[in-house]
Amino acid sequence: MSQRVRISLDAMGGDHGPSTVVPGAAIAREHHPETTFLMFGDEAILAPMVAAEPRLAGAVEIRHTSVSVGMDEKPSQAVRTGRGKSSMWKAIQAVRDGEAEAAVSAGNTGALMAMSKICLKTMAHIERPAIACLWPTVRGESVVLDVGATIGTDAAHLVDMALMGAAMARIVFDLERPTVGLLNVGTEEMKGNEAVKEAARLLREADLPTLRYHGFVEGTDLGRGTTDVVVTEGFTGNIALKTAEGTAKQIATYLRSVMSRTLMARIGYLFARGAFEALREKMNPSRANGGVFLGLEGIVIKSHGSEDAHGFAAAIDLATDMARHDLMRTIRDMLEATPAAASA
Amino acid sequence: MSQRVRISLDAMGGDHGPSTVVPGAAIAREHHPETTFLMFGDEAILAPMVAAEPRLAGAVEIRHTSVSVGMDEKPSQAVRTGRGKSSMWKAIQAVRDGEAEAAVSAGNTGALMAMSKICLKTMAHIERPAIACLWPTVRGESVVLDVGATIGTDAAHLVDMALMGAAMARIVFDLERPTVGLLNVGTEEMKGNEAVKEAARLLREADLPTLRYHGFVEGTDLGRGTTDVVVTEGFTGNIALKTAEGTAKQIATYLRSVMSRTLMARIGYLFARGAFEALREKMNPSRANGGVFLGLEGIVIKSHGSEDAHGFAAAIDLATDMARHDLMRTIRDMLEATPAAASA
């Protein structure tokens, strides 16, 4: 497909701001030459950086903003000071106003969600938004949500998330009827809290044409890729995601330590250097960077604040994918194909 | 210390029953020659196995039971059929009756907890029991609880768990004032649900002499070993634990795959074989096997159902350690040193 897509970028967000966003956009443009950008931020900084980047020639429109949202600002404070004028708000507003098909920001997650809710509004029939990520598995990737949009849940919210996650999986994995699992402490029917048990009953009985409900899955199933979509409440999902990141770092530390301990290990490392590079690439979290905000009237992607340009480019790629395949319409179609009983 | 300790064993529990329990006891006895065992199970099976094991000579008393609890039985059903007569119940009862200082079972967790609560009772001033595990970190190990005893929590329960986890950390790590963190979705004060926020306030204000409250920790802090103790609700804790296990397995799969892909990698593997052995040992979950039931009037340790004899021996070692250092008294001392305000 060579459909043109315009992405709005919060150029001041993240730990590194424009020095990640501008080269990130350039890398993403290599992958999708028909993507163009609306960049919001300090023009005096952005203009020379963009001009110096041949891959961005003719592809960027810069809109000056002098306000940016701090990484540690409380969401309420960020909305007070940044509403209507910050680079983050303007990037979201461009989606609302139809100037861009999706917005990407590496800024403060809480502020980005708060502004997105105010500016774009929640979709009809969706109670609360969720953040979905692509989780690397031994079989490929799974869509996992919610990884931190809201704390606490009920059965209806879990069912909504199953539908929205399946819509995203349909786009990303090109599947007609993705499999969906509910994250729980065991796979037996009697396990878990009331919300997961009730959501399981609703999903099983609804037997939807748009997704195949697999049943409960456990923490070990995440890395295994047992289902295309894994649904859980935001507190638990966020902790699971960060626990997996931490475990990967921990093992990388062990590996470095054992491979430098003896002369034999160091020689072995030299021979197997290519294999270690391949492993590093596999374990590189920036390959799957990008939290997709689901349940809003517009596409917003959160890039990890500490990512480099390649990570930011991955978030732009995800935004391009979601925009091209019309995430909003896919979700709406999923909701329409769902009997009211299941999401009520 | 050469204090004699007697451990009661549910010899029929776990995926492999006596074929893991008997050699596991023999291995544990190499570590602690003054430990003796009360073994509950099918005498016709156990007697010849014990007799054939020179390391267990004179160290085992077998008590015949013909009932054993199935790995998939519901806790309520297990209690109905196994109360008073199963190998699991008898092992716990031996602790209640003062015949053993601690019980170890690789059986069904739900049944073991249900029977332990009925037989031993919950400690005074402790609302609900918890299961604590030793979590391997880059700095060593941390005590993490609750990994699945109860679903849902409130601030008082989280504070109780902080005290009980600190008591266990005092014994295992030999620390006067272990550091304690509350697992949350961020480290800022405003983050999280009401229970963690309120527990944080209570722990901060109480400023206990028996533990140092560190603040909130995130999923990434688990592998980092930021605090000696990490406290969380059972649903989240169980999912975090299994997510970490799954991630470790996933990376091991990647590593095997990249190390066999090219000839150079295979040669490298041969040179670095010792290093890979060391890594495997580091990542071996059985080194830290054993869930400690906290908050009961007696020591019960749950071994993972699928562990081998070395894993079961690790659970026995943990039981021996808890018994020698009198876990119950350490917890009681912690509770007494705590102003009522903090745990009320």
Side-chain angles (χ1 to χ4, degrees):
Chain A
M1 261 194 286
S2 64
Q3 193 188 333
R4 291 180 66 90
V5 170
R6 201 179 201 200
I7 309 283
S8 61
L9 302 175
D10 166 14
M12 309 311 279
D15 298 346
H16 316 296
S19 63
T20 295
V21 172
V22 176
I27 295 165
R29 200 138 196 276
E30 285 180 0
H31 309 153
H32 302 288
E34 57 310 335
T35 301
T36 60
F37 302 103
L38 255 183
M39 247 181 225
F40 295 91
D42 189 330
E43 192 164 18
I45 297 173
L46 293 174
M49 291 179 78
V50 170
E53 182 48 83
R55 290 171 293 182
L56 291 175
V60 178
E61 182 185 335
I62 298 170
R63 302 256 180 100
H64 180 72
T65 58
S66 54
V67 178
S68 60
V69 172
M71 291 303 277
D72 300 321
E73 267 183 81
K74 282 193 192 185
S76 54
Q77 187 194 334
V79 169
R80 252 194 324 273
T81 58
R83 182 173 187 159
K85 50 182 185 283
S86 61
S87 57
M88 185 185 276
W89 178 279
K90 290 281 194 181
I92 301 164
Q93 193 186 322
V95 173
R96 187 193 68 190
D97 296 347
E99 290 196 287
E101 274 84 47
V104 181
S105 172
N108 169 343
T109 310
L112 187 64
M113 181 52 90
M115 287 188 180
S116 298
K117 281 201 275 191
I118 295 170
C119 184
L120 297 173
K121 305 276 186 291
T122 304
M123 290 179 83
H125 309 299
I126 292 290
E127 216 183 320
R128 289 184 288 172
I131 304 177
C133 73
L134 290 176
W135 191 291
T137 76
V138 293
R139 294 173 54 194
E141 281 171 333
S142 298
V143 170
V144 177
L145 73 165
D146 175 23
V147 294
T150 58
I151 303 286
T153 192
D154 56 26
H157 183 222
L158 289 170
V159 171
D160 283 352
M161 290 202 283
L163 291 165
M164 297 193 294
M168 178 168 158
R170 173 182 281 200
I171 292 175
V172 184
F173 309 138
D174 194 19
L175 293 169
E176 259 311 294
R177 206 180 173 214
T179 54
V180 176
L182 286 171
L183 193 60
N184 200 349
V185 296
T187 54
E188 304 86 357
E189 257 184 59
M190 60 183 180
K191 292 274 174 119
N193 54 39
E194 286 313 310
V196 279
K197 281 191 265 191
E198 175 66 5
R201 193 186 62 73
L202 290 169
L203 286 169
R204 209 169 38 239
E205 288 177 4
D207 190 22
L208 301 172
T210 51
L211 64 87
R212 199 142 37 89
Y213 175 61
H214 168 92
F216 292 142
V217 293
E218 299 187 71
T220 42
D221 290 299
L222 286 163
R224 222 178 262 154
T226 305
T227 55
D228 302 315
V229 181
V230 176
V231 172
T232 190
E233 176 268 337
F235 187 87
T236 302
N238 182 277
I239 284 168
L241 178 65
K242 289 182 182 160
T243 300
E245 284 174 10
T247 304
K249 274 193 199 147
Q250 181 182 1
I251 295 172
T253 305
Y254 289 160
L255 193 56
R256 265 196 306 277
S257 144
V258 297
M259 293 312 291
S260 60
R261 206 178 289 165
T262 65
L263 182 61
M264 290 287 270
R266 283 187 214 165
I267 294 170
Y269 177 80
L270 290 179
F271 275 97
R273 207 161 29 184
F276 283 108
E277 280 303 323
L279 181 70
R280 197 168 298 136
E281 186 57 23
K282 263 254 173 254
M283 286 173 64
N284 181 0
S286 73
R287 287 178 67 239
N289 182 43
V292 179
F293 287 10
L294 294 172
L296 299 169
E297 286 289 356
I299 303 168
V300 178
I301 309 281
K302 164 72 170 82
S303 170
H304 205 294
S306 61
E307 281 298 339
D308 63 9
H310 286 275
F312 196 78
I316 296 177
D317 290 345
L318 195 56
T320 304
D321 216 23
M322 294 296 134
R324 275 184 171 170
H325 294 91
D326 204 345
L327 176 66
M328 314 324 305
R329 188 159 65 201
T330 311
I331 295 178
R332 262 182 232 114
D333 289 351
M334 286 265 188
L335 288 171
E336 272 165 31
T338 305
S343 62
Chain B
M1 260 193 285
S2 63
Q3 193 188 331
R4 292 180 64 89
V5 170
R6 201 179 202 199
I7 310 283
S8 61
L9 302 175
D10 166 13
M12 309 312 279
D15 298 346
H16 316 296
S19 64
T20 296
V21 172
V22 176
I27 295 166
R29 201 141 195 274
E30 284 180 359
H31 309 154
H32 302 288
E34 57 309 336
T35 301
T36 60
F37 303 103
L38 253 184
M39 246 181 227
F40 294 90
D42 189 330
E43 191 163 20
I45 298 173
L46 294 173
M49 291 180 77
V50 170
E53 182 48 84
R55 290 171 293 182
L56 291 175
V60 178
E61 182 184 335
I62 298 170
R63 301 255 180 103
H64 181 71
T65 60
S66 53
V67 179
S68 59
V69 172
M71 290 304 276
D72 300 321
E73 267 184 81
K74 284 195 190 182
S76 54
Q77 187 194 334
V79 169
R80 250 191 327 272
T81 59
R83 183 174 187 158
K85 50 182 183 283
S86 61
S87 57
M88 185 185 276
W89 178 279
K90 290 280 196 182
I92 301 164
Q93 193 187 323
V95 173
R96 187 193 68 188
D97 297 346
E99 289 196 288
E101 274 84 48
V104 181
S105 172
N108 170 341
T109 310
L112 188 63
M113 181 53 89
M115 287 187 180
S116 299
K117 281 201 273 191
I118 295 170
C119 185
L120 297 172
K121 305 274 185 290
T122 305
M123 290 178 84
H125 310 299
I126 292 290
E127 214 183 321
R128 289 184 289 173
I131 304 176
C133 73
L134 291 176
W135 190 291
T137 76
V138 293
R139 296 172 56 195
E141 282 171 332
S142 298
V143 170
V144 177
L145 73 164
D146 174 24
V147 295
T150 59
I151 304 286
T153 191
D154 56 24
H157 182 222
L158 290 170
V159 171
D160 283 352
M161 290 202 285
L163 291 166
M164 295 192 294
M168 179 169 156
R170 173 183 281 199
I171 291 175
V172 184
F173 309 138
D174 194 19
L175 293 168
E176 259 311 294
R177 208 182 171 211
T179 55
V180 176
L182 286 171
L183 193 59
N184 200 349
V185 296
T187 54
E188 305 85 358
E189 255 184 62
M190 60 186 179
K191 293 273 174 121
N193 54 37
E194 286 313 308
V196 279
K197 282 192 263 190
E198 175 66 5
R201 193 186 63 75
L202 289 170
L203 286 169
R204 211 169 35 240
E205 288 177 3
D207 190 23
L208 301 171
T210 50
L211 64 87
R212 199 140 36 90
Y213 175 62
H214 169 92
F216 292 142
V217 293
E218 299 187 70
T220 41
D221 290 299
L222 286 163
R224 221 178 263 154
T226 305
T227 54
D228 301 314
V229 181
V230 176
V231 171
T232 190
E233 177 269 337
F235 188 87
T236 302
N238 182 277
I239 284 168
L241 178 66
K242 288 181 182 161
T243 300
E245 284 174 10
T247 304
K249 274 192 199 147
Q250 181 182 1
I251 296 172
T253 305
Y254 290 160
L255 192 57
R256 264 196 306 277
S257 145
V258 298
M259 293 312 290
S260 59
R261 207 178 287 164
T262 65
L263 182 62
M264 290 287 270
R266 282 187 216 166
I267 294 170
Y269 177 80
L270 290 179
F271 275 99
R273 208 162 27 185
F276 283 107
E277 281 301 323
L279 181 70
R280 196 168 301 137
E281 185 57 24
K282 263 260 179 250
M283 287 173 64
N284 180 2
S286 74
R287 287 180 66 238
N289 181 44
V292 180
F293 288 10
L294 294 173
L296 299 169
E297 287 289 355
I299 303 168
V300 178
I301 310 281
K302 164 72 169 84
S303 170
H304 205 294
S306 61
E307 282 297 340
D308 63 7
H310 287 276
F312 196 79
I316 296 176
D317 290 345
L318 195 55
T320 303
D321 216 21
M322 293 298 134
R324 273 184 173 169
H325 294 91
D326 204 343
L327 176 66
M328 313 325 303
R329 187 159 68 200
T330 310
I331 295 178
R332 262 182 231 114
D333 289 350
M334 286 265 189
L335 289 171
E336 272 166 30
T338 304
S343 62

PDB file of all heavy atoms in Angstrom, chain B residues 236-252:
ATOM      1  N   THR B 236      -1.506  -9.614  41.699  1.00  0.00           N
ATOM      2  CA  THR B 236      -0.402  -8.964  40.995  1.00  0.00           C
ATOM      3  C   THR B 236       0.920  -9.685  41.250  1.00  0.00           C
ATOM      4  O   THR B 236       1.721  -9.878  40.334  1.00  0.00           O
ATOM      5  CB  THR B 236      -0.298  -7.494  41.447  1.00  0.00           C
ATOM      6  OG1 THR B 236      -1.548  -6.864  41.177  1.00  0.00           O
ATOM      7  CG2 THR B 236       0.798  -6.758  40.717  1.00  0.00           C
ATOM      8  N   GLY B 237       1.147 -10.090  42.499  1.00  0.00           N
ATOM      9  CA  GLY B 237       2.401 -10.754  42.857  1.00  0.00           C
ATOM     10  C   GLY B 237       2.560 -12.075  42.128  1.00  0.00           C
ATOM     11  O   GLY B 237       3.643 -12.413  41.639  1.00  0.00           O
ATOM     12  N   ASN B 238       1.471 -12.830  42.031  1.00  0.00           N
ATOM     13  CA  ASN B 238       1.523 -14.111  41.337  1.00  0.00           C
ATOM     14  C   ASN B 238       1.811 -13.903  39.851  1.00  0.00           C
ATOM     15  O   ASN B 238       2.618 -14.616  39.253  1.00  0.00           O
ATOM     16  CB  ASN B 238       0.179 -14.834  41.516  1.00  0.00           C
ATOM     17  CG  ASN B 238       0.165 -16.199  40.856  1.00  0.00           C
ATOM     18  OD1 ASN B 238      -0.063 -16.298  39.660  1.00  0.00           O
ATOM     19  ND2 ASN B 238       0.441 -17.237  41.619  1.00  0.00           N
ATOM     20  N   ILE B 239       1.184 -12.897  39.260  1.00  0.00           N
ATOM     21  CA  ILE B 239       1.402 -12.633  37.833  1.00  0.00           C
ATOM     22  C   ILE B 239       2.816 -12.114  37.594  1.00  0.00           C
ATOM     23  O   ILE B 239       3.475 -12.511  36.625  1.00  0.00           O
ATOM     24  CB  ILE B 239       0.292 -11.706  37.290  1.00  0.00           C
ATOM     25  CG1 ILE B 239      -0.971 -12.557  37.110  1.00  0.00           C
ATOM     26  CG2 ILE B 239       0.705 -11.045  35.974  1.00  0.00           C
ATOM     27  CD1 ILE B 239      -2.231 -11.792  36.863  1.00  0.00           C
ATOM     28  N   ALA B 240       3.322 -11.268  38.486  1.00  0.00           N
ATOM     29  CA  ALA B 240       4.707 -10.782  38.340  1.00  0.00           C
ATOM     30  C   ALA B 240       5.685 -11.956  38.397  1.00  0.00           C
ATOM     31  O   ALA B 240       6.587 -12.076  37.560  1.00  0.00           O
ATOM     32  CB  ALA B 240       5.022  -9.760  39.436  1.00  0.00           C
ATOM     33  N   LEU B 241       5.483 -12.850  39.366  1.00  0.00           N
ATOM     34  CA  LEU B 241       6.385 -13.999  39.523  1.00  0.00           C
ATOM     35  C   LEU B 241       6.384 -14.873  38.272  1.00  0.00           C
ATOM     36  O   LEU B 241       7.438 -15.245  37.743  1.00  0.00           O
ATOM     37  CB  LEU B 241       5.950 -14.820  40.744  1.00  0.00           C
ATOM     38  CG  LEU B 241       6.759 -16.086  41.039  1.00  0.00           C
ATOM     39  CD1 LEU B 241       8.187 -15.726  41.434  1.00  0.00           C
ATOM     40  CD2 LEU B 241       6.120 -16.905  42.168  1.00  0.00           C
ATOM     41  N   LYS B 242       5.195 -15.184  37.776  1.00  0.00           N
ATOM     42  CA  LYS B 242       5.110 -16.067  36.611  1.00  0.00           C
ATOM     43  C   LYS B 242       5.571 -15.363  35.340  1.00  0.00           C
ATOM     44  O   LYS B 242       6.075 -16.012  34.418  1.00  0.00           O
ATOM     45  CB  LYS B 242       3.686 -16.608  36.461  1.00  0.00           C
ATOM     46  CG  LYS B 242       3.368 -17.637  37.547  1.00  0.00           C
ATOM     47  CD  LYS B 242       1.968 -18.191  37.400  1.00  0.00           C
ATOM     48  CE  LYS B 242       1.645 -19.174  38.516  1.00  0.00           C
ATOM     49  NZ  LYS B 242       0.186 -19.356  38.636  1.00  0.00           N
ATOM     50  N   THR B 243       5.402 -14.049  35.275  1.00  0.00           N
ATOM     51  CA  THR B 243       5.900 -13.294  34.114  1.00  0.00           C
ATOM     52  C   THR B 243       7.427 -13.342  34.089  1.00  0.00           C
ATOM     53  O   THR B 243       8.039 -13.524  33.030  1.00  0.00           O
ATOM     54  CB  THR B 243       5.404 -11.837  34.168  1.00  0.00           C
ATOM     55  OG1 THR B 243       3.982 -11.839  34.156  1.00  0.00           O
ATOM     56  CG2 THR B 243       5.911 -11.032  32.976  1.00  0.00           C
ATOM     57  N   ALA B 244       8.044 -13.190  35.251  1.00  0.00           N
ATOM     58  CA  ALA B 244       9.508 -13.253  35.324  1.00  0.00           C
ATOM     59  C   ALA B 244       9.998 -14.644  34.921  1.00  0.00           C
ATOM     60  O   ALA B 244      10.950 -14.779  34.142  1.00  0.00           O
ATOM     61  CB  ALA B 244       9.981 -12.899  36.733  1.00  0.00           C
ATOM     62  N   GLU B 245       9.339 -15.697  35.418  1.00  0.00           N
ATOM     63  CA  GLU B 245       9.707 -17.072  35.048  1.00  0.00           C
ATOM     64  C   GLU B 245       9.594 -17.268  33.541  1.00  0.00           C
ATOM     65  O   GLU B 245      10.477 -17.841  32.893  1.00  0.00           O
ATOM     66  CB  GLU B 245       8.776 -18.083  35.734  1.00  0.00           C
ATOM     67  CG  GLU B 245       9.070 -18.312  37.201  1.00  0.00           C
ATOM     68  CD  GLU B 245       8.019 -19.225  37.876  1.00  0.00           C
ATOM     69  OE1 GLU B 245       7.175 -19.818  37.154  1.00  0.00           O
ATOM     70  OE2 GLU B 245       8.038 -19.317  39.106  1.00  0.00           O
ATOM     71  N   GLY B 246       8.492 -16.767  32.984  1.00  0.00           N
ATOM     72  CA  GLY B 246       8.253 -16.907  31.549  1.00  0.00           C
ATOM     73  C   GLY B 246       9.291 -16.158  30.730  1.00  0.00           C
ATOM     74  O   GLY B 246       9.758 -16.659  29.695  1.00  0.00           O
ATOM     75  N   THR B 247       9.662 -14.973  31.173  1.00  0.00           N
ATOM     76  CA  THR B 247      10.657 -14.173  30.453  1.00  0.00           C
ATOM     77  C   THR B 247      12.011 -14.869  30.479  1.00  0.00           C
ATOM     78  O   THR B 247      12.726 -14.905  29.467  1.00  0.00           O
ATOM     79  CB  THR B 247      10.760 -12.764  31.071  1.00  0.00           C
ATOM     80  OG1 THR B 247       9.460 -12.174  31.071  1.00  0.00           O
ATOM     81  CG2 THR B 247      11.702 -11.879  30.285  1.00  0.00           C
ATOM     82  N   ALA B 248      12.369 -15.445  31.613  1.00  0.00           N
ATOM     83  CA  ALA B 248      13.640 -16.167  31.717  1.00  0.00           C
ATOM     84  C   ALA B 248      13.661 -17.349  30.748  1.00  0.00           C
ATOM     85  O   ALA B 248      14.653 -17.570  30.049  1.00  0.00           O
ATOM     86  CB  ALA B 248      13.868 -16.627  33.159  1.00  0.00           C
ATOM     87  N   LYS B 249      12.552 -18.074  30.676  1.00  0.00           N
ATOM     88  CA  LYS B 249      12.472 -19.215  29.752  1.00  0.00           C
ATOM     89  C   LYS B 249      12.563 -18.758  28.298  1.00  0.00           C
ATOM     90  O   LYS B 249      13.211 -19.398  27.468  1.00  0.00           O
ATOM     91  CB  LYS B 249      11.148 -19.960  29.938  1.00  0.00           C
ATOM     92  CG  LYS B 249      11.234 -20.992  31.038  1.00  0.00           C
ATOM     93  CD  LYS B 249      10.007 -21.917  31.006  1.00  0.00           C
ATOM     94  CE  LYS B 249       9.864 -22.601  32.348  1.00  0.00           C
ATOM     95  NZ  LYS B 249       8.493 -22.849  32.734  1.00  0.00           N
ATOM     96  N   GLN B 250      11.874 -17.658  28.020  1.00  0.00           N
ATOM     97  CA  GLN B 250      11.868 -17.088  26.671  1.00  0.00           C
ATOM     98  C   GLN B 250      13.288 -16.735  26.230  1.00  0.00           C
ATOM     99  O   GLN B 250      13.717 -17.069  25.123  1.00  0.00           O
ATOM    100  CB  GLN B 250      10.984 -15.846  26.732  1.00  0.00           C
ATOM    101  CG  GLN B 250      10.802 -15.083  25.457  1.00  0.00           C
ATOM    102  CD  GLN B 250       9.929 -13.846  25.702  1.00  0.00           C
ATOM    103  OE1 GLN B 250       9.491 -13.583  26.826  1.00  0.00           O
ATOM    104  NE2 GLN B 250       9.687 -13.092  24.648  1.00  0.00           N
ATOM    105  N   ILE B 251      14.045 -16.091  27.105  1.00  0.00           N
ATOM    106  CA  ILE B 251      15.411 -15.689  26.758  1.00  0.00           C
ATOM    107  C   ILE B 251      16.304 -16.914  26.613  1.00  0.00           C
ATOM    108  O   ILE B 251      17.158 -16.972  25.724  1.00  0.00           O
ATOM    109  CB  ILE B 251      15.955 -14.683  27.793  1.00  0.00           C
ATOM    110  CG1 ILE B 251      15.113 -13.400  27.728  1.00  0.00           C
ATOM    111  CG2 ILE B 251      17.427 -14.373  27.535  1.00  0.00           C
ATOM    112  CD1 ILE B 251      15.401 -12.398  28.808  1.00  0.00           C
ATOM    113  N   ALA B 252      16.083 -17.931  27.459  1.00  0.00           N
ATOM    114  CA  ALA B 252      16.851 -19.172  27.324  1.00  0.00           C
ATOM    115  C   ALA B 252      16.592 -19.800  25.951  1.00  0.00           C
ATOM    116  O   ALA B 252      17.511 -20.311  25.304  1.00  0.00           O
ATOM    117  CB  ALA B 252      16.475 -20.143  28.449  1.00  0.00           C
TER     118      ALA B 252
END
